[in-house]
Amino acid sequence: MNVTRDLFDDVMVPNYNPAAIIPVKGLGSRLWDQAGTEFIDFAGGIAVNVLGHCHPELVKTLQEQSERVWHLSNVLTNEPALRLAKKLTQATFAEKVYFANSGAEANEAALKLARRYAVDKFGAEKNQIIAFNQGFHGRTFFTVTVGGQAAYSDGFGPKPSAIDHIDYNDLSALETLISDKTCAVMMEPIQGEGGVVSPETEFVKGVRALCDKHNALLIFDEVQSGMGRTGDLYAYMGLDVVPDILTTAKSLGGGFPIAAMLTTTSIAEHLKIGTHGSTYGGNPLGCAVAEKVLDIVNTSEVLEGVKHKETLFRTGLEKINTQYQCFSDIRGKGLLLGAVLNEQYAGRSRDFLVAAAAENLMCLVAGANVVRFAPSLVISDEDILEGLSRFELAISKVVSS
Ligand SMILES: Cc1ncc(COP(=O)(O)O)c(C=O)c1O
């Protein structure tokens, strides 16, 4: 069969518009397409390939597990799931774990748990969910409605209700809106899709205090910020604020689809038998891989390495900017970084992405004004420098076009 990009338009639902090339092989932070052209990967499958492509330890773990048992469903538990859950509880505030297959599903579980907890403990009136404009929590109907871009949830009929949005970093707006009817506040500890926006320390501490005052649960969506990406295992650890529920996906499986919701025993007990579930959640293949990812990422070698690589990225991007004057800010943390386009290039992030791809560099955008980088946490310094020089070439073409 002749597999080309045109085949996508023939046979796939048209909700995506993938690039013209089709990668067929990856190793570390390099990818090769069907023609054998090599790319440097600063996109990491949208902040997923935390240990790069085909990391030998992950390949070995997946192969070994594939010869033991693939799937059991939750009628039976399995060893990789239990080991991974134990390690996640040891490494975080959490005491209990629920496994899912994607970020959206982990968030769906978190939101349902928060509603159920509030209804059980305080009554049906306590159901308001507060979230933030430009936030992103996935594409199920509940999560996309909690997400802060109405355009993504419009046009599908009646939406889940009692969901309100305010601006990120606006503590006084939260103070005005929150009440004893609020059951949860959901936020990303760095807004990823919304433009790589960090919370101010006072804001995030204030959110925690207001949740405590009104018996509302604080849900941190760490689907993008989690598992080492910021240089801490989870971003909350660098913020000095502990959530009640945390969701993690993307990097957790290093490319194998798996997600988890973490919480405390007293909250978890409200998801009683039969209240929620998933056929694939806690699948042994995914859990075996994620356990290995966690073992590797949760080491000072990798986490300290992220901080060093952040400096390398920032220094390189600032140097590029001295010459081309196209960014107003380099923001984010660890290896979740955003180069914010200044007024002259406002709205043109996609032009930079396309120009980078033409120089054999994969990067991401986060909205129309931010070029985003979310590479492997173990990308070599050499690949970072080579990627940045390709990016500089791309920029030289955009600014002279
Ligand atoms: C913060 C955040 N939450 C949730 C999601 C949804 O994850 P998934 O696409 O795995 O459902 C994403 C995806 O980009 C995300 O960045």
Side-chain angles (χ1 to χ4, degrees):
M1 192 191 299
N2 192 18
V3 181
T4 64
R5 171 63 178 78
D6 288 343
L7 189 56
F8 182 95
D9 295 332
D10 285 348
V11 298
M12 301 291 275
V13 169
N15 62 316
Y16 301 119
N17 181 22
I21 60 125
I22 300 180
V24 291
K25 166 106 193 93
L27 192 62
S29 286
R30 306 250 171 171
L31 275 171
W32 289 266
D33 72 4
Q34 290 169 311
T37 307
E38 170 254 310
F39 293 81
I40 290 189
D41 187 3
F42 280 180
I46 318 188
V48 166
N49 299 103
V50 75
L51 297 175
H53 298 277
C54 294
H55 188 287
E57 297 250 14
L58 300 189
V59 171
K60 183 166 168 272
T61 301
L62 185 57
Q63 275 171 348
E64 283 173 3
Q65 185 58 41
S66 76
E67 287 165 13
R68 291 199 185 112
V69 63
W70 283 36
H71 177 74
L72 294 162
S73 90
N74 286 296
V75 172
L76 299 164
T77 189
N78 66 78
E79 289 183 358
L82 295 177
R83 281 199 308 265
L84 175 61
K86 180 73 184 170
K87 289 182 181 180
L88 285 169
T89 59
Q90 284 169 334
T92 67
F93 74 96
E95 296 159 321
K96 291 283 194 277
V97 178
Y98 168 84
F99 287 120
N101 310 293
S102 67
E105 284 178 61
N107 285 334
E108 184 83 18
L111 291 164
K112 283 178 73 180
L113 172 57
R115 280 264 177 90
R116 182 57 76 112
Y117 173 84
V119 168
D120 282 355
K121 270 192 84 139
F122 303 99
E125 293 266 280
K126 192 173 176 71
N127 57 24
Q128 182 197 35
I129 290 162
I130 300 179
F132 295 92
N133 294 324
Q134 306 309 317
F136 187 77
H137 302 297
R139 296 286 197 151
T140 66
F141 208 10
F142 200 172
T143 58
V144 84
T145 309
V146 172
Q149 289 195 60
Y152 290 164
S153 54
D154 287 347
F156 297 99
K159 299 184 190 188
S161 58
I163 299 166
D164 294 300
H165 296 93
I166 51 175
D167 283 345
Y168 200 69
N169 276 326
D170 187 346
L171 191 58
S172 61
L174 182 62
E175 212 161 356
T176 308
L177 186 61
I178 198 168
S179 74
D180 289 347
K181 290 190 176 165
T182 308
C183 79
V185 175
M186 183 174 221
M187 64 180 280
E188 295 160 85
I190 291 188
Q191 285 194 330
E193 301 303 305
V196 192
V197 182
S198 296
E200 284 152 20
T201 312
E202 288 316 303
F203 169 70
V204 77
K205 290 196 174 201
V207 174
R208 177 70 274 180
L210 285 169
C211 284
D212 289 343
K213 184 172 166 199
H214 293 283
N215 288 317
L217 298 180
L218 177 56
I219 305 171
F220 270 8
D221 175 346
E222 294 233 28
V223 167
Q224 188 152 162
S225 61
M227 280 293 275
R229 186 139 300 279
T230 61
D232 291 301
L233 184 64
Y234 285 99
Y236 83 85
M237 295 168 176
L239 290 169
D240 207 17
V241 164
V242 179
D244 300 298
I245 302 176
L246 181 151
T247 55
T248 175
K250 289 192 182 274
S251 307
L252 178 63
F256 200 99
I258 178 170
M261 175 190 73
L262 313 181
T263 190
T264 62
T265 302
S266 62
I267 298 169
E269 70 186 17
H270 293 267
L271 274 194
K272 295 186 176 60
I273 291 171
T275 47
H276 193 59
S278 155
T279 299
Y280 284 121
N283 168 279
L285 293 168
C287 289
V289 174
E291 182 193 4
K292 184 54 79 178
V293 173
L294 179 60
D295 286 346
I296 296 173
V297 169
N298 197 19
T299 55
S300 57
E301 192 192 340
V302 170
L303 296 176
E304 287 305 313
V306 170
K307 290 169 193 162
H308 158 76
K309 290 172 203 303
E310 173 183 0
T311 308
L312 212 55
F313 257 99
R314 282 183 177 276
T315 310
L317 290 169
E318 275 153 20
K319 195 163 146 249
I320 291 172
N321 204 30
T322 311
Q323 176 150 7
Y324 295 100
Q325 305 284 319
C326 39
F327 310 133
S328 59
D329 194 10
I330 309 295
R331 66 191 184 199
K333 194 171 178 197
L335 288 176
L336 180 54
L337 294 171
V340 186
L341 301 178
N342 63 22
E343 266 182 25
Q344 198 183 343
Y345 299 100
R348 291 187 59 192
S349 61
R350 200 147 276 283
D351 293 349
F352 286 77
L353 179 104
V354 169
E359 301 304 328
N360 299 345
L361 172 70
M362 309 221 166
C363 40
L364 299 163
V365 297
N369 296 322
V370 178
V371 182
R372 180 175 32 151
F373 307 98
S376 154
L377 305 189
V378 296
I379 183 172
S380 68
D381 290 1
E382 187 201 3
D383 283 356
I384 294 177
L385 295 175
E386 172 62 22
L388 286 172
S389 76
R390 293 183 191 185
F391 191 51
E392 178 164 3
L393 217 53
I395 287 180
S396 72
K397 296 196 175 151
V398 174
V399 301
S400 63
S401 65

